């Protein structure tokens, strides 16, 4: 393609200056119209700048229209279009632009060389391959990277590692990593984050420990990984180590560690995080407040959670759902219902499935049968929320607590999705409370079918059979319990003392340093003791005679 004349180049430069001055998409459209009138919209040079600006304004569709008007787009325009599609999650379109580029661009320096991309092409093309989780396509692009001579660039190598981790092939990602001469913090953090994301915390920790220069991103990846796999104590430990090493937590690391605080009941650490966020002006961020609200609610401090909620400048559906669910969990069901009604009146945020779980749970705990049924019926009709298994579980619990056992059973059998063990367990609990032995047998048998490995379900089934007088079934169930040689998982509890969370497991020795605790517990137990005979008469479901030795 012939180079533009000096006059055309001067017009292009003037138009580029106008494009750079655009601050809104409307300004961009005006400048684009000017380019069309000057017959410059077919220039790759001008179109490339317009495509970059369309991408900055999140308008990939308009960028595609600009790209389509250029008869012979050059490499820079192809790169801009691939970037625009990849950054807007239109990964297949990005790959299609690259395929078109391979077909239409001439080989470099003439002859039969490879007409691939450059170091600006492949990072975004590899991002698209990772977004598609297409490892075979990624392998082909990797081969093109090598043929084009771009493999030596750090940004391309880091993009290869990211692509392979997104595709779930960590062996190839590690192969690229090990072959790098200059491993920067992005290389290390990408691989550590990938192992943590897949729950491979031993490998993530080993990489982390061998990393020469750690960043807050490295620490955050580890905290997030431990939280995701349920090692909450590990997450809190790493968070504390991060501060001891002189790294100040950012908003990402705070959001990563707060769920661990909530699960452990580490209230003192949670309060310190709140004070830290308040000091550093983070409480203006909705997602930070949401995480703090959940931590306070799960640690039993619902009033602090509500204080945060009412002070938030912007509330999203997570904010409302967390407050409603927290109130329900703390027995303040009518307040939860009133808060939902306030949300509905305000009309700025529409409830989602999580919101209705909290609302229906509140109705169940407060015995608000009519309100709960009305809210359940309005989920799909008024709010467009399709009821899931968790919503049906709340409905069954609501009906069961209200004594509507047969209607609860009909609801379970009429569910569009199979009922899980929690729903059958809820129905069984209702049967025990209201003395419906026949339905209790059905629920207990279904529980054993759904969770055959849980010996506790077999124990409950034997008790239900005993109450129903089905002694042959009691004997058969007892025999099955003995044949499995299993024991019930012991219960545990946790308490935070001096910023350290201690776990107590039933049956374990407390150790010499906590020996005095047993005496305190004995005193508390004596104060809470109830009359044994009254307890035995009131609970016919725990029939110890069923398991008496022959």
């Amino acid at each position: 393609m012939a180079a533009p004349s000096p006059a055309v180049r001067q017009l292009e430069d003037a138009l580029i200056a106008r494009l750079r001055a655009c601050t809104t998409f409307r300004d961009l459209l005006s400048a684009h119209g000017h380019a069309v009138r000057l017959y410059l919209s077919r220039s790759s040079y001008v179109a490339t700048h317009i495509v970059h600006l369309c991408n900055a304004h999140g308008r990939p569709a308009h960028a595609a229209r600009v790209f389509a008007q250029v008869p012979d787009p050059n490499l820079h325009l192809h790169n801009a279009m691939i970037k625009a599609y990849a950054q807007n999650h239109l990964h297949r379109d990005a790959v299609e632009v690259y395929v078109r580029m391979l077909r239409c661009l001439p080989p470099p320096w003439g002859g039969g060389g490879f007409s691939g991309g450059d170091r600006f092409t492949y990072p975004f093309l590899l991002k698209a391959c990772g977004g598609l989780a297409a490892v075979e396509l990624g392998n082909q692009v990797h081969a093109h990277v090598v043929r084009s001579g771009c493999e030596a660039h750090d940004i391309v190598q880091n993009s290869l590692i990211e692509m392979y981790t997104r595709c779930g092939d960590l062996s190839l990602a590690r192969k690229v990593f090990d072959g790098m001469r200059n491993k920067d913090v992005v290389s290390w953090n990408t691989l550590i984050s990938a192992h943590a994301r897949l729950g491979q915390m031993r490998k993530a920790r080993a990489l982390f420990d061998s990393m020469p220069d750690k960043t807050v991103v490295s620490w955050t990846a580890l905290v997030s990984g431990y939280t995701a796999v349920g090692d909450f104590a590990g997450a809190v430990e790493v968070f504390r180590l991060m501060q001891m090493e002189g790294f100040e937590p950012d908003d990402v690391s705070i959001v990563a560690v707060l769920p661990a605080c909530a699960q452990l009941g580490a209230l003192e650490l949670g309060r310190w995080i709140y004070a830290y966020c308040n000091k550093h002006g983070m409480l203006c961020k909705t997602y930070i407040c949401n995480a703090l609200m959940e931590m306070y609610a799960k640690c039993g401090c619902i009033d602090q959670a509500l204080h945060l909620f009412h002070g938030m400048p912007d509330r999203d559906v997570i904010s409302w759902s967390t407050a409603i669910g927290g109130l329900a969990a703390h027995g303040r069901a009518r307040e939860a219902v009133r808060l939902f009604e306030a949300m509905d009146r305000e009309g700025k945020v529409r409830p989602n499935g999580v919101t209705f779980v909290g609302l229906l749970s509140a109705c169940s705990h407060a015995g608000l049968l009519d309100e709960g049924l009305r809210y359940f019926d309005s989920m799909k009709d008024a709010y467009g929320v399709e009821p899931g298994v968790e919503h049906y579980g709340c409905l069954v619990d609501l009906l069961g607590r209200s004594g509507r056992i047969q209607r609860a059973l009909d609801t379970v059998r009429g569910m569009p999705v199979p009922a899980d063990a929690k729903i059958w367990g809820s129905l069984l609990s209702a049967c025990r409370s209201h003395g419906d032995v026949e339905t209790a047998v059905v629920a207990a048998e279904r529980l054993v079918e759904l969770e055959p490995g849980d010996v506790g379900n077999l124990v409950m089934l034997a008790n239900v059979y005993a109450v129903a007088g089905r002694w042959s079934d009691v004997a058969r169930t007892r025999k099955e319990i003995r044949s499995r040689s299993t024991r019930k998982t012991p219960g545990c509890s946790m308490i935070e003392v001096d910023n350290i969370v201690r776990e107590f497991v039933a049956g374990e020795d407390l150790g010499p340093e906590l020996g005095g605790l047993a005496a305190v517990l004995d005193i508390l137990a004596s104060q809470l003791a109830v009359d044994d005979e009254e307890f035995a008469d009131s609970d016919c479901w725990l029939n110890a005679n069923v398991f008496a030795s022959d």
Side-chain angles (χ1 to χ4, degrees), residues 10-198:
Q10 189 175 4
L11 285 173
E12 287 181 340
D13 290 341
L15 183 60
I16 295 303
R18 179 174 176 178
L19 286 169
R20 287 172 178 164
C22 294
T23 57
T24 65
F25 186 62
R26 183 180 294 274
D27 295 339
L28 176 58
L29 290 177
S30 177
H32 183 202
H34 189 61
V36 172
R37 288 193 296 273
L38 293 174
Y39 298 100
L40 294 177
S41 61
R42 295 162 64 89
S43 162
S44 287
Y45 179 56
V46 173
T48 299
H49 282 79
I50 296 176
V51 168
H52 280 310
L53 288 171
C54 288
N55 182 30
H57 288 281
R59 303 295 183 109
H62 191 77
R65 287 192 287 270
V66 174
F67 180 77
Q69 294 302 312
V70 181
D72 297 307
N74 61 14
L75 175 61
H76 301 296
L77 181 53
H78 279 101
N79 287 348
M81 199 64 232
I82 290 171
K83 177 181 178 180
Y85 277 139
Q87 289 190 329
N88 286 277
H89 309 290
L90 301 171
H91 304 305
R92 293 190 183 278
D93 294 319
V95 174
E96 289 176 4
V97 171
Y98 178 71
V99 172
R100 172 182 168 174
M101 183 186 80
L102 294 179
R103 292 172 178 168
C104 71
L105 284 183
W109 309 293
F114 177 63
S115 60
D118 60 9
R119 62 192 179 96
F120 299 104
T121 310
Y122 292 112
F124 297 103
L125 181 61
L126 290 166
K127 178 182 177 69
C129 295
L132 294 170
V135 68
E136 293 183 3
L137 177 62
N139 287 333
Q140 295 179 44
V141 174
H142 191 172
H144 286 200
V145 168
V146 176
R147 290 181 64 189
S148 65
C150 297
E151 193 177 20
H153 295 285
D154 292 345
I155 188 172
V156 176
Q157 289 180 315
N158 287 335
S159 298
L160 282 166
I161 294 173
E162 176 70 17
M163 181 272 294
Y164 282 126
T165 60
R166 291 295 176 186
C167 293
D169 196 332
L170 265 63
S171 60
L172 288 176
R174 186 60 189 260
K175 188 174 181 181
V176 175
F177 177 82
D178 291 337
M180 293 179 67
R181 292 184 178 180
N182 301 312
K183 301 180 180 71
D184 58 16
V185 292
V186 176
S187 317
W188 288 93
N189 288 341
T190 301
L191 205 55
I192 291 170
S193 298
H195 283 297
R197 189 170 59 246
L198 296 175

Side-chain angles (χ1 to χ4, degrees), residues 112-386:
F114 177 63
S115 60
D118 60 9
R119 62 192 179 96
F120 299 104
T121 310
Y122 292 112
F124 297 103
L125 181 61
L126 290 166
K127 178 182 177 69
C129 295
L132 294 170
V135 68
E136 293 183 3
L137 177 62
N139 287 333
Q140 295 179 44
V141 174
H142 191 172
H144 286 200
V145 168
V146 176
R147 290 181 64 189
S148 65
C150 297
E151 193 177 20
H153 295 285
D154 292 345
I155 188 172
V156 176
Q157 289 180 315
N158 287 335
S159 298
L160 282 166
I161 294 173
E162 176 70 17
M163 181 272 294
Y164 282 126
T165 60
R166 291 295 176 186
C167 293
D169 196 332
L170 265 63
S171 60
L172 288 176
R174 186 60 189 260
K175 188 174 181 181
V176 175
F177 177 82
D178 291 337
M180 293 179 67
R181 292 184 178 180
N182 301 312
K183 301 180 180 71
D184 58 16
V185 292
V186 176
S187 317
W188 288 93
N189 288 341
T190 301
L191 205 55
I192 291 170
S193 298
H195 283 297
R197 189 170 59 246
L198 296 175
Q200 301 173 0
M201 292 311 300
R202 288 187 179 180
K203 294 182 179 180
R205 188 61 182 264
L207 269 171
F208 176 84
D209 290 339
S210 61
M211 184 177 180
D213 298 308
K214 300 176 179 64
T215 66
V216 68
V217 176
S218 321
W219 290 94
T220 301
L222 218 56
V223 173
S224 300
Y226 280 125
T227 300
V229 300
D231 186 355
F232 306 117
V236 170
E237 176 195 3
V238 171
F239 185 79
R240 294 186 187 279
L241 287 174
M242 177 180 72
Q243 297 169 75
M244 293 171 63
E245 293 291 330
F247 292 89
E248 286 200 359
D250 60 5
D251 52 350
V252 180
S253 57
I254 285 171
V255 170
V257 77
L258 279 172
C261 296
Q263 294 295 330
L264 292 173
L267 182 58
E268 290 306 314
L269 177 57
R271 285 174 172 160
W272 180 90
I273 292 174
Y274 170 80
Y276 178 88
C277 292
N278 190 28
K279 179 181 178 181
H280 290 81
M282 294 184 180
L283 295 183
C284 61
K285 300 178 180 179
T286 301
Y287 57 92
I288 292 283
C289 290
N290 289 342
L292 284 166
M293 282 172 56
E294 182 183 23
M295 180 276 299
Y296 274 130
K298 288 189 175 180
C299 289
C301 301
I302 186 61
D303 288 327
Q304 286 90 332
L306 292 174
H307 177 74
L308 260 173
F309 174 81
H310 291 301
M312 291 175 65
D314 296 300
R315 305 185 191 103
D316 59 12
V317 68
I318 299 175
S319 315
W320 289 95
S321 301
T322 303
I324 292 170
L327 285 168
H330 284 77
R332 294 162 65 169
R334 295 188 182 275
E335 290 181 61
V337 173
R338 286 197 295 270
L339 192 61
F340 176 83
E341 292 172 349
M343 173 188 180
D344 200 30
R345 285 194 304 270
E346 187 176 284
K348 295 180 180 179
V349 178
R350 289 184 64 82
N352 62 11
V354 179
T355 317
F356 277 103
V357 169
L359 178 63
L360 293 173
S361 176
C363 292
S364 176
H365 292 157
L368 304 175
L369 179 62
D370 294 335
E371 292 89 337
L373 293 175
R374 186 178 73 253
Y375 286 131
F376 184 86
D377 292 337
S378 68
M379 281 181 60
K380 186 176 182 180
D381 298 336
Y383 302 98
V385 178
E386 191 71 35

Side-chain angles (χ1 to χ4, degrees), residues 463-478:
N463 283 337
V464 170
Y465 283 148
V467 173
R470 295 169 55 172
W471 300 108
S472 60
D473 290 325
V474 171
R476 175 178 53 80
T477 307
R478 287 178 58 197

